[in-house]
Amino acid sequence: MKDKPNVLFIWNKDIRHPDAGGGTIEFFAIMKSLAAKGFDVTQVSGGFSGSKSSEKIEGVSIVRMGKLFTMPFLLWKAQLTHHFLDNFDVIVEGLGYVSLLLPFITRKPVLVVCQHLPKEIFSIEGPHVLGKPLGYVLPPIARFVESAIFPVVYKRVPIFTFSESTKEDLVETGFPRENVLLFRNALAGMTMRNDPLISGNAVPNAAILKRSTPTIVCIGRLRKYKGVQDLIKAMPKIKQEFPRVTLYIVGKGEYEPQLKRLSHSLDLDENIVFSGFVDVSEKFDLISSSNLLVMPSYREGFA
């Protein structure tokens, strides 16, 4: 008999994915911690260009199926044809843009981890990512599934989240309050400071210099729902009051070209620095030396 369970984590991106964000880093930190304690840990995620179909990273077995949006369908197929999920004792699903509706297809114990519900992100990102007509047709359907289907399918499943705001979102959406469990992030900070796998993905950028002029910093993936475009649109008014103000936008993402065009159109080339990825120590130095840290995202799992 096994001393510790064989745990499957399902999350759309793994730690090597080029678009891996804070949620993926946190998820990997949890998996790596369990693997270090002797658990047999596997993650199923979507693949990306040049990715291996499987590999082991710091004790965590990564299995990649298809791409981000095809992974759920391939996992369903693997379960229906080969009973893939039955190989594990416990299944942990990351509830996000796409749910697998696991209680329909397995009797294994299922736990859910939810960073935050997408809600309006569907309509913000849909047209940009999917184009016409899908970008306008699918978001209302996704919102309906999120609000009407998810709470019914997962009504007996424990849901773990990291913030009071997300807990209240889940309860308001229809998930039973007694099933929504709050626990605080406690791993990612240590991991990001010390883990060469994560900090090694960063590219030090010598363009970031400490200045005596007013400085604003914004850190995150450059996606439309992160709201960086709103911060850029506010910069002309800020510039009127503080002509030498500098905004450092730290991070990369698919929305970067649009943000750069917006910055140029507002004549802000001298006031905005797109820093890309920076190493962890440089990021903390930048935050501590800035006058203001701005998080303009439309939705995050904060508070």
Side-chain angles (χ1 to χ4, degrees):
M1 183 176 178
K2 293 183 296 185
D3 293 331
K4 295 181 179 178
N6 183 5
V7 185
L8 173 66
F9 285 79
I10 304 172
W11 189 259
N12 61 348
K13 300 169 188 171
D14 63 76
I15 194 65
R16 293 208 190 279
H17 196 287
D19 291 331
T24 301
I25 292 173
E26 178 67 25
F27 220 61
F28 182 75
I30 295 170
M31 291 187 288
K32 187 175 72 170
S33 176
L34 289 175
K37 296 179 185 298
F39 288 82
D40 189 355
V41 180
T42 300
Q43 180 190 1
V44 168
S45 64
F48 51 92
S49 178
S51 65
K52 300 177 182 178
S53 60
S54 64
E55 63 178 306
K56 198 156 192 171
I57 305 175
E58 300 199 37
V60 179
S61 298
I62 308 294
V63 177
R64 300 185 179 100
M65 296 184 178
K67 302 295 184 181
L68 291 182
F69 294 109
T70 59
M71 180 271 287
F73 303 103
L74 294 175
L75 186 57
W76 262 63
K77 179 181 177 182
Q79 172 63 7
L80 296 176
T81 58
H82 298 99
H83 304 287
F84 174 78
L85 300 176
D86 297 343
N87 295 313
F88 303 93
D89 301 308
V90 179
I91 302 169
V92 182
E93 179 185 359
L95 185 63
Y97 302 108
V98 179
S99 169
L100 294 161
L101 305 178
L102 290 181
F104 277 158
I105 59 173
T106 182
R107 294 185 179 276
K108 293 290 184 175
V110 174
L111 307 176
V112 165
V113 174
C114 180
Q115 298 276 352
H116 61 79
L117 290 171
K119 291 198 170 184
E120 64 268 28
I121 296 176
F122 286 126
S123 56
I124 294 170
E125 291 285 349
H128 170 66
V129 174
L130 301 174
K132 297 179 180 180
L134 289 179
Y136 294 91
V137 173
L138 291 183
I141 297 174
R143 287 292 299 270
F144 171 77
V145 172
E146 179 186 65
S147 61
I149 306 299
F150 285 2
V152 175
V153 175
Y154 291 93
K155 65 181 179 181
R156 293 186 176 89
V157 174
I159 301 177
F160 294 87
T161 189
F162 306 112
S163 69
E164 290 284 357
S165 61
T166 301
K167 179 178 179 178
E168 292 307 314
D169 266 352
L170 288 163
V171 172
E172 290 174 8
T173 301
F175 293 90
R177 181 177 291 275
E178 61 271 19
N179 289 355
V180 183
L181 308 173
L182 179 66
F183 71 101
R184 301 295 186 182
N185 288 334
L187 295 172
M190 294 182 290
T191 302
M192 291 172 68
R193 285 178 181 272
N194 303 321
D195 195 326
L197 175 66
I198 296 172
S199 60
N201 287 334
V203 179
N205 192 316
I208 294 183
L209 301 173
K210 293 183 179 179
R211 298 183 180 182
S212 58
T213 56
T215 304
I216 303 171
V217 61
C218 178
I219 300 174
R221 281 188 301 148
L222 301 185
R223 298 281 300 276
K224 189 174 182 180
Y225 85 89
K226 293 293 186 177
V228 181
Q229 66 275 12
D230 297 329
L231 177 57
I232 292 175
K233 291 175 183 177
M235 283 295 290
K237 290 187 177 181
I238 298 173
K239 186 178 176 181
Q240 289 177 3
E241 187 74 20
F242 304 98
R244 298 177 62 196
V245 65
T246 300
L247 167 62
Y248 292 104
I249 298 175
V250 180
K252 301 285 288 184
E254 60 189 33
Y255 204 55
E256 183 175 353
Q258 290 89 331
L259 296 175
K260 286 184 174 180
R261 287 196 295 269
L262 176 62
S263 174
H264 182 72
S265 70
L266 295 175
D267 193 26
L268 294 171
D269 291 342
E270 298 298 318
N271 300 90
I272 296 181
V273 177
F274 287 87
S275 304
F277 289 121
V278 301
D279 64 29
V280 174
S281 61
E282 195 170 8
K283 178 169 64 176
F284 283 106
D285 287 344
L286 180 60
I287 293 173
S288 63
S289 64
S290 296
N291 300 98
L292 192 64
L293 171 66
V294 180
M295 302 292 288
S297 181
Y298 285 81
R299 179 163 293 275
E300 296 287 350
F302 290 155

